[in-house]
Amino acid sequence: MLLLTDRALKEPIDTDKKMKKIIKNITLCGLMVVGGGFALSSCEDYLTITPSSSIVEEDFWQDRNDLKNALMACYKRMVDNDLLRKYEYWGEERSDNVERSSSITSSGPVANIMNANLLPTYEQFNWTPMYNAINDCNKVLAHGPEVIENDESFSQNDWKPIRAEVITLRALCHFYLVRTFGEIPYVTQDYNNDSQELRLPQSTQLAVLDSIITDLESIKNDAMIDYGTTVENKGRITKKAVYALLADVYLWRASYKAGNNQPFKKVTLASNYQGERTEAELSSRHEEYSTTAASDYQKCIDYCDWVIERAKTEKLEYIEKNGLNVGGAVIELELEDLLATNETTSKKTYIMTGASQRAYNAIFGTGNAEESIFELQVDGVTYSNAMINDLYFNIKDGRAGAFTGPDVLYGGVEQTPNSTSTGYVYTKTDYRRWETIIFDEAGQNSFNLGKYINRTINQKNANSLYLTDNAAQSLTKNFIEQTKRSASNVDANWIMYRLSEIYLMKAEALSQLYDDEEHLMEAFNYVREVFKRSNPYAYNPSNSTASNDSLKFTNFSTQENMELLVLKERQREFVGEGKRWYDLVRYALRRGSTAEMLEILSHKYTNSKSIRAKLADMQSLYSPVYNQEIKNNNWLYQNGVWSVNETSSRTDDL
């Protein structure tokens, strides 16, 4: 176990500086509350390790600077490379967005996981880094009240927004875990220094979702609205971020209930299992829902509405503050006004951002864009986003990382967006094809992932405002310039939530809750704004094929087709952002079956019949518990689809 000195723990933080400056003041090893675990070694199991009591941690929690250092350590933990890799492994590796690159062995973990052979021995399933982050949060929550007693300048009102920040970070961690593993320990107790051995059993998926919602509902009104700087407003938890997370969790729980899903019915118990429940009870569990899917979908809509209204308020405040409302007219903001633009000019002078500000450059290049809600801050020096180098594209060596984009999805374009086809991802006028993948040469059989890797993407021809045909490879050389980040300064922030996702979450919830034309049209409008931003030529009056290039409501006027449109648009918008697998699982949850989801995934596999057999059970959508966890913690059980045995990927008696 790694211990840091009290001096390292007590460095004051200047809250007036930008967050990236603040984070640099925290040591690279990771801030650690003595005996507690702010920097537990990644090879040690937080849930099972017995803590040391050699140093008295009460010496630390003396004033607000101690508390703020500990708070910043929570953020630091979230941006550690081991967790950045988990966001991508868990959210993309099993999806159809990526395939194994040629530089990765055909028999290793990446290849096996992509072929639905999930061995519990694989490091990708090690959840310790996420539980270390949860422990950091729990440590702050446990000791924050002590600072109120010890520091007269720190009040209960000062503590409440910090408490809201930390509870939200903890909820986000649990949300990642429950979506990935299904049944997990829900940990609200910090890891103490009193020789206690912390071993906790798993809770069911529904119980975890309920707990996350209860926690977030309890603090939603305590979170900060404005920290005073852009970097902190984007890089720390705000009330807008709390509401975005609540919308996401309600959407997931609604989908779980809509498919009448239940706890794992078959689990594998290790020989030393000490849980209170018997194997027979575990095999036939049932839960009653306290709310309906419909009420949860409505909650999702309500929280999305709040975030959208808050974004409008912030936009209007910005306009007034900077004197952009010439003439003082009443400003009516539309949905498109809240998203970063790909236009050089606007019909509304007060939302003009300048010719150099394209959506990709603002969101993924510079970072902390206006539409951003919450993103983990990476400065490229103290904290480098090495994950995108390893998994997307090795900038220094100029070669693929572990993942590439399959030719079947990126090698061509759909001729129209007015289809529910699961073929090519992008249509012929979509900027995002050039933002997502790297075009180095013609005739590629797979495509390197360029999102986050590219710092800027610009059109060389200043007179051409629009891409008209993505299928033309000549666009790479003649029109598109992709400028990569420096290998020595990989400073790409990791975006958790941005406004386009709020639009699409609301559209998804509307498509599930209503079947009338008015509400489905409302859902369509939210999707259209996200699509339109990246397809400006499709909506340009000079486009003679606009009727085919732009989205048409008549093609998506049923609940089923609207749901598929949202799913397709989410894929176009969030490729490489660690969301696709969760979208597919949520799609399957609503049906209580993997069958339709597997139709979407089928183009990824050559041995689709074998894959369908492996993924036939809903539990197979969740990852196995890391084998070492099962060995060390005799309160844990294994997802019954995946074997506890190290030599087998799957139980035979499912």
Side-chain angles (χ1 to χ4, degrees), residues 111-123:
N112 277 328
I113 291 172
M114 288 188 177
N115 283 294
N117 292 319
L118 278 64
L119 289 173
T121 54
Y122 289 157
E123 172 64 24

Side-chain angles (χ1 to χ4, degrees), residues 127-199:
W127 62 26
T128 295
M130 194 68 83
Y131 277 110
N132 285 340
I134 289 171
N135 189 54
D136 290 0
C137 296
N138 285 335
K139 186 63 62 176
V140 173
L141 293 170
H143 293 280
E146 297 174 19
V147 179
I148 299 175
E149 298 178 3
N150 295 332
D151 187 346
E152 293 182 358
S153 69
F154 189 77
S155 68
Q156 182 69 29
N157 286 336
D158 295 323
W159 165 238
K160 286 170 70 175
I162 294 176
R163 179 173 177 268
E165 271 186 273
V166 178
I167 285 178
T168 304
L169 288 175
R170 185 182 72 184
L172 180 61
C173 290
H174 279 120
F175 191 41
Y176 264 102
L177 288 164
V178 75
R179 288 180 296 171
T180 304
F181 297 96
E183 302 197 349
I184 62 165
Y186 190 79
V187 183
T188 59
Q189 179 181 2
D190 68 305
Y191 175 75
N192 294 318
N193 65 345
D194 57 0
S195 74
Q196 163 198 9
E197 194 171 77
L198 185 58
R199 299 191 178 196

Side-chain angles (χ1 to χ4, degrees), residues 276-300:
E276 296 178 357
R277 293 164 290 186
T278 68
E279 184 171 5
E281 290 170 333
L282 286 167
S283 298
S284 59
R285 290 177 294 166
H286 181 81
E287 290 176 318
E288 297 296 328
Y289 304 157
S290 59
T291 60
T292 64
S295 62
D296 283 352
Y297 283 129
Q298 186 59 55
K299 280 286 190 179
C300 173

